Amino acid sequence: MKTHMKQGWRLTFKHFYLLLLVFVYQLLWGFFLYRAIDETVSPLLRRFPGATASAQAVQTFLTEAQIELFKTDMAMPYLWMLGGLFAARMLLTPLFNAGFFHSMLQQSRSGGGTRFREGVRKAWKPVMLLYWLQALLTFAPAYFLLPKAYNALLTSHSTNELIMTLLPGAALWLLWGIVVSLLSLSLQVGAVSEESMAAVLWRSIRHFLPYAALSMLMWMIGMTLGLAVTGVSLVWAGFIALVVHQSYHLIKIMMKMWTLATQLLYLESRREP
């Protein structure tokens, strides 16, 4: 496990230009998403009654806002924008995965330079199909869980009752999402290395526990760094905290790439010769 983490760290730094590319991509994604939400919500919030307003005024505001959002086409341009951003992400992320996984595999096997564009050209189709299948399977439980959550929201008599009602379903959905994500990642790596999908899936299931443990360890390292940055921002409020907070976005992407590289190297080490 330690060996895979060290090798993954070295591979991540060999792809530093990709790290910067993903940083710019996520920065643009976050900016446009923020603008879409801000332009939709801000006009409504500006009309929100003040703190001294009566409950009737607040109820009137909520009713008018609901009518404007659901009975007019005011939100349609922003919904189209959100849909376009989501579609762009669904198209660009698997392209990055195909290029990154291919380059990582080639570097771990034979060294040499990065081969990102070669990976995109060779493996984008199966990786994109697997990524879309992952998204479909991840959100499939929403069909059953969201109606139950809505019903619990209407019938619960307290916040604690609502949380206790929703918690089991949310925990199972989270566990399902982790399992689907890990298996999908192994299949994407298999598609890049041109292996049989059945063989890759069976190998992933056979070694799932150590594979999941390694992934959880990497995620915990990322979460610890995030908590440390939050703590610095709270304790040393000011210019230093601002610099640390802004630089953390780059560190977070580096952690994500390190995690992917470590997972990929572990899966590669379990490949039968």
Side-chain angles (χ1 to χ4, degrees):
M1 188 177 291
K2 189 176 180 181
T3 303
H4 300 314
M5 292 172 67
K6 287 183 177 179
Q7 293 175 344
W9 181 260
R10 287 196 292 268
L11 279 178
T12 300
F13 270 89
K14 287 182 180 179
H15 293 77
F16 192 75
Y17 81 94
L18 286 181
L19 191 152
L20 295 177
L21 180 64
V22 175
F23 174 70
V24 173
Y25 162 64
Q26 297 224 350
L27 189 67
L28 292 174
W29 163 263
F31 171 76
F32 286 113
L33 182 62
Y34 165 78
R35 292 298 302 167
I37 295 174
D38 181 63
E39 291 181 9
T40 306
V41 175
S42 292
L44 295 174
L45 292 181
R46 289 192 198 101
R47 299 179 51 211
F48 190 81
T52 58
S54 63
Q56 173 114 21
V58 174
Q59 184 61 42
T60 302
F61 164 79
L62 293 175
T63 303
E64 290 179 354
Q66 184 177 7
I67 291 173
E68 288 188 17
L69 286 175
F70 296 105
K71 302 297 184 180
T72 70
D73 59 354
M74 184 193 78
M76 287 304 297
Y78 308 111
L79 291 176
W80 278 108
M81 182 185 294
L82 287 173
L85 289 172
F86 178 75
R89 190 177 184 89
M90 292 295 293
L91 290 172
L92 292 175
T93 300
L95 294 181
F96 167 77
N97 287 354
F100 182 68
F101 293 158
H102 177 82
S103 185
M104 286 281 184
L105 282 173
Q106 295 304 316
Q107 285 248 337
S108 65
R109 291 173 181 175
S110 57
T114 58
R115 301 179 182 179
F116 179 80
R117 286 181 293 179
E118 179 183 316
V120 174
R121 187 172 61 254
K122 285 185 174 181
W124 71 271
K125 290 181 181 178
V127 171
M128 185 170 292
L129 181 61
L130 289 167
Y131 184 80
W132 289 354
L133 182 61
Q134 174 191 342
L136 180 63
L137 291 175
T138 300
F139 290 106
Y143 181 79
F144 305 99
L145 294 178
L146 289 184
K148 293 183 178 179
Y150 180 71
N151 183 60
L153 182 64
L154 296 178
T155 57
S156 296
H157 300 292
S158 66
T159 303
N160 288 337
E161 182 183 350
L162 177 63
I163 292 174
M164 294 305 297
T165 303
L166 298 181
L167 191 58
L172 288 174
W173 193 358
L174 177 62
L175 181 62
W176 168 255
I178 291 173
V179 172
V180 169
S181 175
L182 292 176
L183 293 180
S184 173
L185 176 63
S186 66
L187 289 173
Q188 290 178 51
V189 173
V192 169
S193 59
E194 298 180 344
E195 288 187 79
S196 164
M197 291 291 102
V200 172
L201 183 60
W202 172 241
R203 185 169 70 243
S204 302
I205 294 173
R206 253 193 322 144
H207 301 286
F208 185 79
L209 288 180
Y211 171 40
L214 177 61
S215 302
M216 293 295 292
L217 176 61
M218 296 302 299
W219 293 336
M220 287 175 64
I221 293 173
M223 290 173 61
T224 303
L225 281 175
L227 291 173
V229 170
T230 302
V232 169
S233 301
L234 293 174
V235 175
W236 292 338
F239 179 73
I240 295 178
L242 179 63
V243 172
V244 171
H245 184 74
Q246 293 301 320
S247 62
Y248 175 65
H249 295 291
L250 185 62
I251 297 172
K252 185 166 65 173
I253 294 170
M254 183 180 69
M255 278 299 310
K256 185 175 181 179
M257 290 182 64
W258 182 23
T259 301
L260 287 174
T262 303
Q263 291 171 315
L264 182 145
L265 289 170
Y266 175 80
L267 292 169
E268 180 69 2
S269 70
R270 294 297 177 268
R271 182 182 181 185
E272 297 177 359

